[in-house]
Amino acid sequence: YITDASERMRVLIKDLLDFSRIGNDARIEAVDCDKIVDNVLADISLAREEVNADIQRDKLPVIQGYPTELKLLFQNLLINAIKFHQPGVSPQIKITVKKAGSFWQFCISDNGIGIDKQYEKRIFDIFQRLHTRNEYAGSGIGLSHCKKIVELHNGKIWVESALGEGSSFYFLLPSTV
């Protein structure tokens, strides 16, 4: 019990430090979102293979932003789409993008377990978990990372979801920061 609690505390402290460092010492530069997603998909290839996840995507734009933070944004959303899949169902994940005025509107949608409407705003708060650690691993900080990263880029993030039907995470990023 003490060993498990110590490990959870170590992960929690690391996640808090990572959260506090988002945007520190970062420089805005041209970021090819296709290359970012290629790198993320390579990093999470084992997790994808374990559940036979199929990930489809649009051609993604080059935007002005913080490359490390944008990689973390896509990584957190894709890992969640894989992690929160329905038992016995292979995850079907789509990454789409469209121009919305001076913003790019990205969407990462899945066929996972979905989120009850009452929790759609709460999930972006730090340490807000909807499931126990025994059900799904994690510290409950990933989506708050996403919110902080999107806001760092002067954007907005939200989710549309239904229990048992999957989730669509939308985020707006300006083409220039």
Side-chain angles (χ1 to χ4, degrees):
Y1 174 79
I2 291 171
T3 303
D4 288 346
S6 296
E7 178 60 20
R8 283 193 307 273
M9 183 60 72
R10 185 191 66 73
V11 169
L12 186 61
I13 290 168
K14 181 199 172 298
D15 287 348
L16 278 172
L17 286 170
D18 290 345
F19 184 79
S20 71
R21 291 179 182 137
I22 290 175
N24 290 352
D25 302 322
R27 291 180 346 135
I28 294 174
E29 57 186 78
V31 178
D32 184 336
C33 293
D34 268 327
K35 287 183 182 176
I36 292 282
V37 170
D38 286 342
N39 290 335
V40 168
L41 293 178
D43 291 346
I44 65 171
S45 62
L46 183 59
R48 288 176 55 203
E49 291 170 12
E50 286 177 353
V51 295
N52 195 31
D54 179 43
I55 300 176
Q56 302 294 318
R57 71 182 202 219
D58 289 350
K59 170 87 174 110
L60 303 178
V62 174
I63 64 171
Q64 295 295 311
Y66 303 99
T68 301
E69 285 77 1
L70 288 171
K71 181 178 180 190
L72 182 61
L73 171 65
F74 281 103
Q75 181 176 302
N76 281 338
L77 292 172
L78 289 169
I79 287 173
N80 279 357
I82 292 169
K83 182 189 334 184
F84 294 103
H85 70 278
Q86 295 188 45
V89 177
S90 294
Q92 301 295 312
I93 301 164
K94 292 181 185 166
I95 306 169
T96 59
V97 66
K98 68 180 181 180
K99 194 77 165 134
S102 61
F103 290 86
W104 287 105
Q105 179 178 300
F106 293 83
C107 179
I108 297 180
S109 60
D110 62 57
N111 63 337
I113 63 172
I115 301 164
D116 191 313
K117 294 275 184 227
Q118 67 179 329
Y119 301 118
E120 286 182 356
K121 290 193 182 358
R122 183 179 143 199
I123 60 169
F124 294 104
D125 294 338
I126 198 164
F127 305 129
Q128 294 299 309
R129 298 177 54 92
L130 302 182
H131 306 279
T132 67
R133 282 180 195 85
N134 293 335
E135 292 174 295
Y136 296 98
S139 62
I141 200 169
L143 289 175
S144 52
H145 275 176
C146 293
K147 181 179 178 189
K148 187 172 180 180
I149 291 165
V150 169
E151 289 174 351
L152 175 69
H153 287 84
N154 299 314
K156 177 183 175 186
I157 188 167
W158 70 97
V159 65
E160 295 176 4
S161 186
L163 275 177
E165 296 179 22
S167 300
S168 293
F169 284 86
Y170 295 90
F171 55 98
L172 293 171
L173 295 176
S175 48
T176 59
V177 177

